[in-house]
Amino acid sequence: MPGERELVLVGAGLAGCLLAILLCRRGWKVTVYERRGDPRVKGYESGRSINLALAERGRHALEQAGVLEAVMRQAVMMRGRMVHGRDGPTRLHRYGRDDSEVIWSVHRADLNPTLLEAAERAGAPVHFHRRLHTVDFDAGYARLIDDRDDQPHDIRFRTLVGTDGAGSALRAAMVRKAGLVERTEFLDHSYKELTIPPAADGGFRMEPHALHIWPRGRYMCIALPNDERTFTVTVFLPNQAAPGSGDPCFASVRSGAEVRALFDRDFPDALPLIPDLERDWEHHPPGLLGTLYLDRWHLDGRAVLVGDAAHAMVPFHGQGMNCAFEDCLAMVEAMERHGSLEAAFAAYEVERKPNAAAIQAMALENYIEMRDRVDDAGFQLQRELELALQQRHPQRFVPHYTMVTFMRVPYAVALWRSQVQRQILTEATRGRASLDGIDWEALARAVRERLPPLEGAR
């Protein structure tokens, strides 16, 4: 049997590579198996990927692994949301107070190879074209299949770690073995990806330091910058239009002509920037959007799940990768604190499960904000008041986005405080068109009574 400090990771994506680095740096012997080919090989097609937004939680984990500097060389700063109205003008809604509170756009095609190379340098061998097929948890055997020739590859293990994403094969094996209860709730919306190429002079064709968003009620379009001066454009539409709404949907926008008509009507300033619109629309199938709920994440000390394999979420808060990276750090720290893997995995699950549930809920809620509320006058008034209260009570009233994105406050704490703060904002702005005449003393009392000081707030 493998030694006591040996682990097998199933999945060489972002979380798998980062976890391998963190474990190797702590003296563990790690072997990684990946069902796909090596993304560093020219011509390898990694599939669709909504651009990744790197925030403080993810940056901290990368820093602990010693790879932050390499990753940041590929990142593009985003100061806020650049909102494109129907009538043409754009407005930048900052995420934070200044350039110390920003997020970073990174492309999976750049990030995954960087982390892979770092994992291999740390001492973790990575075997590609190895799809997990069957697992005998009692005997400590697993069979992996090379889908290129259907050849089996058998391995022995003490512990398997599932970093193989939302469609996790290890999770499926754990469900069969231990009866884990899983549920995936799919949105009635899907997405397609398109590309804005560089300008003729090689530069960006829009403001690069922003997440561009075209909010249109029940649907929207977004665009994130890439280091190679392109933008990855993602269109989110209902699968079927609501009765009588007249909204576009994937059932009604299928051909190149239909998507051109959609952009001409709803996203006209983006239309001339996407030369391959019709072709890409017809050739890229819609991607599904779902939230995975799982009652348990580990099988004593023999198996444990990390990241999307345990708690996949919709991408609307940009926290899926950051949450997965935070998982990795939490797990290795639990392994250092506890004498057995079973105790460590149990402690990791107790710590992370409520936080994962909180960010899953906030990600679903943020979709409504992005596609509908961000361009609403009432929402903007609440945002104005939120910033004013943050300035007056910096230790207590910390905006939702700040807690989630620029701090490492536990997600569950951020969710609770955000709910309290939203109640205060809603009550204070009800029936108002501006902040003129607002009762600042009453608001101060409400903030002091309902919000305890938050450690780390500034």
Side-chain angles (χ1 to χ4, degrees):
M1 286 291 291
E4 290 187 2
R5 288 183 66 83
E6 293 187 33
L7 295 172
V8 170
L9 271 58
V10 181
L14 305 179
C17 290
L18 180 68
L19 183 58
I21 299 165
L22 292 168
L23 288 167
C24 286
R25 287 166 65 97
R26 287 161 172 78
W28 287 81
K29 183 178 179 181
V30 177
T31 305
V32 187
Y33 294 93
E34 167 59 49
R35 68 176 178 85
R36 298 169 298 180
D38 189 336
R40 296 165 295 185
V41 175
K42 185 177 181 180
Y44 170 71
E45 183 58 50
S46 62
R48 295 165 299 177
S49 168
I50 294 174
N51 263 51
L52 305 163
L54 181 61
E56 178 58 29
R57 298 168 197 271
R59 283 170 50 89
H60 175 70
L62 292 169
E63 186 175 39
Q64 297 302 302
V67 294
L68 179 61
E69 183 178 348
V71 169
M72 293 307 294
R73 286 197 290 266
Q74 306 159 343
V76 180
M77 181 179 70
M78 297 188 293
R79 293 186 172 97
R81 297 167 176 163
M82 185 70 76
V83 179
H84 296 247
R86 286 182 183 272
D87 52 355
T90 59
R91 300 179 308 283
L92 179 66
H93 298 173
R94 271 193 174 271
Y95 289 129
R97 288 171 286 191
D98 51 43
D99 280 358
S100 70
E101 296 181 336
V102 299
I103 60 176
W104 301 85
S105 176
V106 291
H107 201 284
R108 189 183 299 269
D110 296 323
L111 181 56
N112 207 166
T114 298
L115 296 182
L116 268 170
E117 290 168 8
E120 290 177 339
R121 285 197 305 270
V126 182
H127 301 278
F128 296 98
H129 298 290
R130 297 291 186 269
R131 173 176 57 84
L132 184 66
H133 182 251
T134 53
V135 182
D136 186 333
F137 290 101
D138 296 325
Y141 278 98
R143 170 160 289 187
L144 301 110
I145 302 292
D146 185 334
D147 286 329
R148 297 172 298 179
D149 55 15
D150 292 327
Q151 288 300 303
H153 299 267
D154 294 340
I155 63 169
R156 302 186 73 181
F157 68 88
R158 284 186 181 273
T159 301
L160 294 175
V161 182
T163 52
D164 50 343
S168 172
L170 180 57
R171 185 181 70 246
M174 293 167 67
V175 169
R176 289 191 294 270
K177 170 65 177 176
L180 276 63
V181 179
E182 66 172 331
R183 182 178 89 258
T184 300
E185 294 184 357
F186 290 100
L187 284 186
D188 57 358
H189 289 59
S190 299
Y191 71 93
K192 281 198 181 190
E193 286 195 341
L194 307 164
T195 301
I196 295 175
D201 63 0
F204 286 103
R205 302 186 73 181
M206 297 189 297
E207 163 58 47
H209 298 301
L211 184 155
H212 292 259
I213 179 170
W214 291 257
R216 299 297 183 261
R218 280 182 44 80
Y219 56 101
M220 69 174 180
C221 176
I222 66 172
L224 276 73
N226 298 308
D227 186 43
E228 60 269 26
R229 307 302 189 263
T230 63
F231 285 86
T232 299
V233 179
T234 310
V235 182
F236 298 92
L237 297 177
N239 297 323
Q240 300 284 340
S245 69
D247 288 342
C249 63
F250 280 111
S252 64
V253 183
R254 295 181 176 178
S255 69
E258 288 166 339
V259 72
R260 175 166 282 275
L262 168 65
F263 268 72
D264 187 52
R265 185 190 72 195
D266 288 330
F267 317 121
D269 57 332
L271 180 57
L273 306 179
I274 311 174
D276 296 325
L277 173 65
E278 292 94 333
R279 185 197 69 187
D280 287 352
W281 190 268
E282 292 179 351
H283 286 84
H284 294 177
L288 299 177
L289 297 164
T291 305
L292 168 70
Y293 302 99
L294 191 65
D295 70 329
R296 283 183 289 147
W297 293 359
H298 76 290
L299 176 61
D300 46 63
R302 291 174 288 177
V304 65
L305 301 170
V306 175
D308 282 355
H311 52 67
M313 66 191 73
V314 295
F316 303 113
H317 218 308
Q319 285 292 307
M321 174 183 67
N322 295 283
C323 182
F325 285 177
E326 202 171 50
D327 281 355
C328 294
L329 203 52
M331 196 174 85
V332 297
E333 289 173 351
M335 291 165 65
E336 291 184 322
R337 291 194 307 269
H338 295 273
S340 72
L341 288 181
E342 181 175 1
F345 295 163
Y348 151 76
E349 182 178 315
V350 167
E351 176 189 347
R352 295 300 296 164
K353 203 164 183 290
N355 289 305
I359 189 56
Q360 285 176 318
M362 290 187 284
L364 286 165
E365 182 181 272
N366 213 45
Y367 184 32
I368 298 172
E369 176 178 314
M370 290 178 71
R371 76 186 196 206
D372 193 6
R373 298 190 66 218
V374 72
D375 210 25
D376 176 74
F379 176 82
Q380 291 306 315
L381 182 62
Q382 288 191 15
R383 175 64 174 155
E384 183 183 349
L385 179 57
E386 181 180 56
L387 293 174
L389 290 175
Q390 179 188 24
Q391 187 173 17
R392 289 167 177 257
H393 311 281
Q395 305 300 317
R396 295 177 185 267
F397 202 102
V398 182
H400 163 80
Y401 200 86
T402 298
M403 289 188 287
V404 172
T405 309
F406 308 132
M407 301 177 70
R408 291 187 287 118
V409 178
Y411 287 122
V413 173
L415 175 59
W416 173 78
R417 294 184 71 99
S418 295
Q419 290 169 338
V420 173
Q421 291 176 177
R422 188 180 300 113
Q423 292 170 357
I424 293 172
L425 295 172
T426 301
E427 292 163 4
T429 58
R430 186 176 291 119
R432 291 182 174 275
S434 75
L435 299 184
D436 294 341
I438 204 155
D439 190 341
W440 294 106
E441 285 299 320
L443 276 173
R445 286 194 300 272
V447 169
R448 287 193 298 268
E449 291 170 2
R450 300 168 69 178
L451 291 167
L454 179 62
E455 184 178 353
R458 61 181 180 87

